Amino acid sequence: MRAVVVTSFGGPEVVAVVETAVPEPAARQVRIKVSGAALNPVDAGVRAGVFGGAGKALGLGWDVAGTVDATGVATGWTVGDEVVALSYGTAKPFGTHAEYVIVDADAVAKAPASVDAVHAATIPLNALTAAQALDLLALEPGQSLLVSGAAGAVGGYAVQLAAHRGISVTGLARAADEEFVRSLGADRFVSGAVAAGSVDAVLDAAVLGESALEWVRDGGTYVGVIPQAHPASVRGVRTDAVEVSADGARLAELVALVDAGVLTARVAETYALDEAAKAHARLAEGGLRGRLVLVP
C-alpha cells in the first residue's frame, strides 16, 4: 500500500509517499480501507519535528473515514462497515494518510449517513477536541463562553456544541467571518478588542494564550488546545488544556449530531494521496475554512 511518511524534519518538501506492506489487525483492532483522511495542524507539527522522533519514519494522519476491510477478534465490527475513527499518536510508523490503517476497535464509530466520506473525515480529531475541551470547561447552560478561532475547524465545532448545550457563546474571528460564525450559533461576535473579565470561560482554539486569559472573569476557566502549553493561573482562573483521546462511543455521539444537523463538517479542498506534499504547502499558506482532505 501507499502511505505518507516523513523521515526527516522540515517543510512540505520532506513529505514522502512510500510503498509498504498492508498491515494486519491484531485482537481488538480493525483495518480500515481509507476513503478520506483530513490533514490537520498536528500533522504539520509532526513533519516539522515539534514532537521529536528523529531517526525513524513517522506516519502522518489522525482522522479517517472509510470501510472496515479486516478485523481481529473481539472487535464488534464487520467487514464492510462504513466508519470513522481517530488514530491517535505523533510517533506511529503509519497514520491515516495511507490506503489502509489499523485502529483500535474502541476508537471507531459508524460513519454519518448525511455526509460523504470526505466530509466525514473532518469529524474525529476536531470534533472530539472541541467536545473534550468543553468537558474540561464544565459550563452550565446560560454561562458565557468566548471561543477564539471560532471560524476554524476546532473552534467551529466548539461554537456549535456549546450553543447546543445552551451556553451563551461569543465567537472571536476575522471580521469577514462574522456571518458564518453567527450561523454556527454564536450569540455575539468580536473581531478586535475584548473587555477584560467579560466571560465565564475561554476556549482558546486560536492559541492566543495569556491575552485570552485576560478575558476570563476572576474565578473562571480557560482551556487551550495544545497539551501542557496553557498559561499559568491568575486571579483564581482555572487553566487547563485538552489532550484529545480516541473515544469511539463519544465519536458516535458527535456523528449523530452531524446527522441531526447540529454539527457541520467542512471541507476546504481535496488532494490525491500522492499530492500530500502539495496539501502540506496549502495548509502552510493558511486562510482555510474547513479541512484539507487526502483521498487515496
Side-chain angles (χ1 to χ4, degrees), residues 34 52 54 66 75 89 100 112 125 159 168 194 200 209 223 227 235 257 284 286 291 296:
V34 179
T75 69
Y100 298 88
L125 176 59
V159 170
S168 177
V194 178
D200 294 315
V223 167
R235 299 180 287 105
L257 291 176
R291 283 289 178 238

Side-chain angles (χ1 to χ4, degrees), residues 58 89 123 195 279 286:
L58 299 175
I123 298 168

Side-chain angles (χ1 to χ4, degrees), residues 110-215:
K110 185 178 178 181
S114 58
V115 299
D116 61 21
V118 171
H119 284 79
T122 69
I123 298 168
L125 176 59
N126 296 288
L128 279 170
T129 298
Q132 292 170 5
L134 288 171
D135 291 346
L136 288 176
L137 288 166
L139 295 173
E140 298 293 333
Q143 287 191 283
S144 58
L145 169 68
L146 185 145
V147 178
S148 70
V154 172
Y157 281 132
V159 170
Q160 290 184 308
L161 286 168
H164 183 64
R165 296 182 184 187
I167 296 164
S168 177
V169 182
T170 297
L172 173 66
R174 298 184 305 178
D177 289 317
E178 178 173 2
E179 182 179 354
F180 171 70
V181 171
R182 289 187 180 276
S183 77
L184 297 177
D187 301 292
R188 285 170 291 279
F189 177 86
V190 290
S191 61
V194 178
S198 59
V199 292
D200 294 315
V202 163
L203 197 169
D204 189 15
V207 196
L208 302 177
E210 291 182 358
S211 61
L213 184 60
E214 294 177 2
W215 306 332

Side-chain angles (χ1 to χ4, degrees), residues 2 4 12 15 17 34-40 63 96-99 117-119 121-122 266-296:
R2 292 172 299 146
V4 179
V15 174
V17 179
V34 179
S35 299
L39 173 63
N40 290 284
D63 286 310
T96 64
H97 296 172
E99 291 182 290
V118 171
H119 284 79
T122 69
R266 292 180 288 150
V267 174
E269 300 173 34
T270 61
Y271 289 81
L273 191 66
D274 290 336
E275 297 177 313
K278 290 183 180 179
H280 275 255
R282 177 65 188 92
L283 179 64
E285 292 173 2
L288 294 167
R289 290 297 172 257
R291 283 289 178 238
L292 304 174
V293 178
L294 299 179
V295 180

Side-chain angles (χ1 to χ4, degrees), residues 46-101:
V46 173
R47 184 202 74 218
V50 171
F51 307 103
K56 58 184 177 181
L58 299 175
L60 301 179
W62 290 49
D63 286 310
V64 62
T67 306
V68 174
D69 169 75
T71 69
V73 299
T75 69
W77 296 97
T78 302
V79 171
D81 286 342
E82 299 292 329
V83 297
V84 291
L86 177 67
S87 173
Y88 178 90
T90 58
K92 54 202 176 192
F94 300 105
T96 64
H97 296 172
E99 291 182 290
Y100 298 88
V101 64

